[in-house]
Amino acid sequence: MTETKSYKIAWLPGDGIGPEVTREALRVLDAVASAHDFAFTAEEHPMGGAALDETGVPFPDDTRAACRESDAVLLGAVGGPKWDDTTGDQRPESGLLALRKALGVYANLRPVRVPEALASASPLRPDRVGGTDLLFVRELTGGIYFGTPEGRTDDGARSTMVYTEAEIERIAHVAFQRAQRRDGHVTSVDKANVLEVSKLWREVVTRVGEEHYPDVTLRHLYVDNAAMQVVRDPQQFDVVLTGNLFGDILSDLAAALPGSLGLLPSASVGGTVGLFEPVHGSAPDIAGADTANPIGTLLSAALLLDELGEPGAADAVRHGVDATLNAGFRTADLAADDEDAASTSTFGHEVATRAAEHAQKNTSASLP
Ligand code: IPM
Ligand code: MN
């Protein structure tokens, strides 16, 4: 008998809708665990504005230590109007940046798929967005988010976009390797017609591609053109490689394709421990109302399972989400005016039931 594996998940609910959407993700993880022969513990730790209120800082040392000792970090969202007057290190958002830096997770993976059931609800033409399946590989621990010098000057302020060759190389490798496992195309996004740092980005990405990945096609787009192309014809993309700032902007833009920011998951990897969080923010206006869309977080939990080496359980979660949408359940952000909206917890419960059924069906076949 082999012992059941047990994973330690650091659970950082954070602010706004963070607690309610991550709670549903834990429910769904729980629903697929036993069929896939693993167990997990989820220990809650303060983060963001909640941590600021509780401890005086947005990313407490205890939270940092717990994240480092975990197998994976599941995060809700941080920030809100209550902390809008905070500055510098006291901002909930700086806590998030410090967390990413502390874990060394330089590669932010943001897949964008338009589920068939939702293509007709897209603000764009269904024939254009249906079948969209692209992956943003966004550099996450460098660029203008972290460059120095930074701050106020006598007569203004400055932020600096800095990339070393090594930082560009390692994120380029991630993008090319992901493309090898997908359709074999990388689109690298930059502003090489203006920015020196983008000229280097383009050179290094080209070199990495030529030297190591002759089987992957590479093209370059300026970021302004990329924004237009993502909306005009999203099906042309496979892997989209970007720096930190351009990836932040383009991934929110791409969220318009399936029609709600609430649908998109993310995984931040490349360090010792992976960080999994929905792309959306804390949505303070609907916090605690049990109306938020948990899909982005549920799909982040699927990415977490992939990263832990539990692809079967990850598929069960994704199946649960698709099957719940196909059964007609819609949270308020997706429901048509004449449709009843499912609450966050109802939606999570429906996904958990379907994911568990799928998990049992697909594992019982392999029992002796
Ligand atoms: C995101 C968010 C963060 C970012 C903020 C909250 C710091 O917008 O994860 O996309 O800009 O990276
Ligand atoms: Mn963002």
Side-chain angles (χ1 to χ4, degrees), residues 214-229:
D215 52 329
V216 177
T217 60
L218 169 67
R219 69 170 174 160
H220 305 276
L221 287 183
Y222 297 137
V223 62
D224 47 354
N225 185 22
M228 197 260 285
Q229 298 296 340

Side-chain angles (χ1 to χ4, degrees), residues 81-170:
K82 183 172 176 199
W83 306 283
D84 270 354
D85 292 338
T86 55
T87 54
D89 290 351
Q90 291 291 102
R91 284 195 68 82
E93 289 82 356
S94 332
L96 176 56
L97 299 187
L99 168 64
R100 292 169 175 172
K101 201 77 175 173
L103 297 178
V105 286
Y106 63 85
N108 182 217
L109 311 174
R110 297 187 160 183
V112 181
R113 267 189 336 125
V114 178
E116 233 164 84
L118 295 182
S120 62
S122 170
L124 303 174
R125 280 193 2 221
D127 58 311
R128 291 283 173 94
V129 297
T132 293
D133 181 1
L134 59 89
L135 174 69
F136 284 100
V137 175
R138 169 192 176 196
E139 200 291 327
L140 199 63
T141 54
I144 199 165
Y145 277 54
F146 294 94
T148 52
E150 198 269 334
R152 294 298 165 103
T153 60
D154 288 345
D155 58 353
R158 63 187 160 189
S159 298
T160 313
M161 192 184 284
V162 185
Y163 272 117
T164 64
E165 287 198 33
E167 282 174 318
I168 302 168
E169 269 170 24
R170 65 181 184 178

